[in-house]
Amino acid sequence: MTSTLFVIALATAAPALVPELSTEIWQVAPGTSAKVWTATDKPSEKKRALVLIPGLHVHPLRPAKATKPELRDWQQPKSELVKTLAKDFDVFAFGYSQTVSADEVAQGPGLRDAVANLRKSGYTEIVLVGHSAGGVISRHFVEQNPDAGVSRVIAIAAPFAGAEAATLNIGYPKVQAPFVKSLAPEARKEAMRGSKFALSPDAEFACVVCRLKRGDTDGLVLVRSQWPEDLQQLGVPAVIAQVSHFDAMENAATAKTILELAKGKLTRWSTEDVDTARKILFGEPPAPARSNFLKRQAK
């Protein structure tokens, strides 16, 4: 999701286009330019693949752009994030048209086929890294496809419990309405209520919780939405990133955190660990000992 969600655009009255899910996957490292990846491409000596999955990108003035997959700046080969991750992984960028709900993207064949083809081509590890709505998509993908071959999932600033900004009816073209509205709090509750799937206790999963220095939000998504009650009960670890929602994927410190989480095995927390993290994230400003506790989870 981007800050342009708050821009009132005349294009909200643009004619609706026919919703259709289109996806693409590019290899962005190794190499200096993004290229469409095919199953015939073999892995490098690393044999570890990491797939970057973006969230909402509104196109208020050019609605047709929302109907096609696109690369974000932070998914490009020369971005700080890709260069950091390329030290240990072959890096891929997943793109999708934003004309259907986030749940339909997770259920669609595009991501499923991409993961299957990466596995068939010889990658022994596949890590999904999803920002914002991309984190929601990544989570529901592994819930619905536990045997797909994904090694671990890292969700950054994901609105698992929804974002109030998604309830607005301005700032985006009609063609993107299904995607935006699927990220509203009530829509997320309904999706979870009607889901026949749940995150496996064995799934390696971590939340990077972004927040501003003061407050309970990253400027768009509440902290409680990024690490919701159901994930807390499962012992899913959370790591704090002192960065805004909009800068998270372009932040050097966050890139290093993502790399450390992607490289190591992600184990579930004990009840005591979750209680400590809850005090840090939802209580008073963290004491040094508590702050160090969460920093250790990224190492």
Side-chain angles (χ1 to χ4, degrees):
M1 304 178 80
T2 68
S3 56
T4 45
L5 184 61
F6 301 104
V7 178
I8 301 177
L10 294 176
T12 53
L17 302 176
V18 177
E20 183 178 341
L21 178 61
S22 175
T23 65
E24 191 61 84
I25 185 167
W26 298 269
Q27 182 162 6
V28 293
T32 57
S33 62
K35 64 175 183 177
V36 174
W37 183 81
T38 65
T40 59
D41 295 334
K42 299 301 180 183
S44 70
E45 67 277 4
K46 296 186 181 74
K47 293 192 176 181
R48 306 170 78 186
L50 186 146
V51 184
L52 298 170
I53 304 176
L56 173 66
H57 186 194
V58 295
H59 293 286
L61 301 178
R62 301 179 66 183
K65 292 193 70 174
T67 68
K68 301 175 182 179
E70 64 176 332
L71 277 169
R72 306 294 173 77
D73 289 344
W74 53 266
Q75 291 178 298
Q76 296 285 352
K78 295 182 180 180
S79 72
E80 182 70 28
L81 178 61
V82 171
K83 288 189 293 184
T84 298
L85 297 173
K87 298 172 185 176
D88 290 89
F89 293 89
D90 284 359
V91 185
F92 298 84
F94 183 74
Y96 54 93
S97 58
Q98 302 192 343
T99 55
V100 299
S101 71
D103 304 278
E104 290 175 87
V105 178
Q107 296 165 9
L111 184 56
R112 183 171 63 250
D113 290 346
V115 170
N117 288 332
L118 286 169
R119 182 64 70 181
K120 289 178 182 177
S121 71
Y123 287 99
T124 57
E125 288 188 41
I126 299 173
V127 180
L128 303 185
V129 174
H131 174 243
S132 194
V136 174
I137 291 167
S138 299
R139 173 184 177 176
H140 289 308
F141 176 81
V142 296
E143 288 178 332
Q144 296 159 15
N145 302 277
D147 300 321
V150 172
S151 304
R152 59 190 61 89
V153 173
I154 303 164
I156 299 94
F160 292 121
E164 287 297 331
T167 63
L168 301 176
N169 292 318
I170 56 175
Y172 55 87
K174 289 183 179 180
V175 71
Q176 285 189 275
F179 190 83
V180 175
K181 292 182 181 300
S182 74
L183 302 174
E186 284 303 316
R188 297 315 320 145
K189 286 181 183 179
E190 185 62 29
M192 293 302 295
R193 188 182 302 119
S195 176
K196 298 179 181 179
F197 305 92
L199 188 64
S200 166
D202 299 322
E204 293 190 38
F205 198 100
C207 297
V208 176
V209 177
C210 298
R211 74 174 184 184
L212 303 177
K213 290 184 178 180
R214 292 180 176 82
D216 59 354
T217 177
D218 63 3
L220 185 62
V221 182
L222 292 174
V223 168
R224 290 182 181 273
S225 182
Q226 298 177 50
W227 192 49
E229 185 68 32
D230 64 313
L231 293 186
Q232 295 169 36
Q233 292 177 356
L234 290 171
V236 170
V239 179
I240 290 178
Q242 296 284 2
V243 64
S244 78
H245 188 93
F246 312 110
D247 298 329
M249 304 306 279
E250 298 177 354
N251 180 272
T254 305
K256 292 178 181 178
T257 295
I258 294 170
L259 176 61
E260 292 304 314
L261 291 170
K263 289 195 302 182
K265 183 175 177 59
L266 301 176
T267 58
R268 296 296 173 90
W269 278 352
S270 67
T271 301
E272 291 75 18
D273 289 339
V274 171
D275 287 343
T276 300
R278 284 176 58 85
K279 291 176 183 177
I280 297 169
L281 290 168
F282 309 137
E284 297 299 319
R290 291 179 181 168
S291 186
N292 289 336
F293 167 79
L294 281 188
K295 288 179 181 178
R296 289 198 303 272
Q297 310 313 308
K299 296 181 179 180

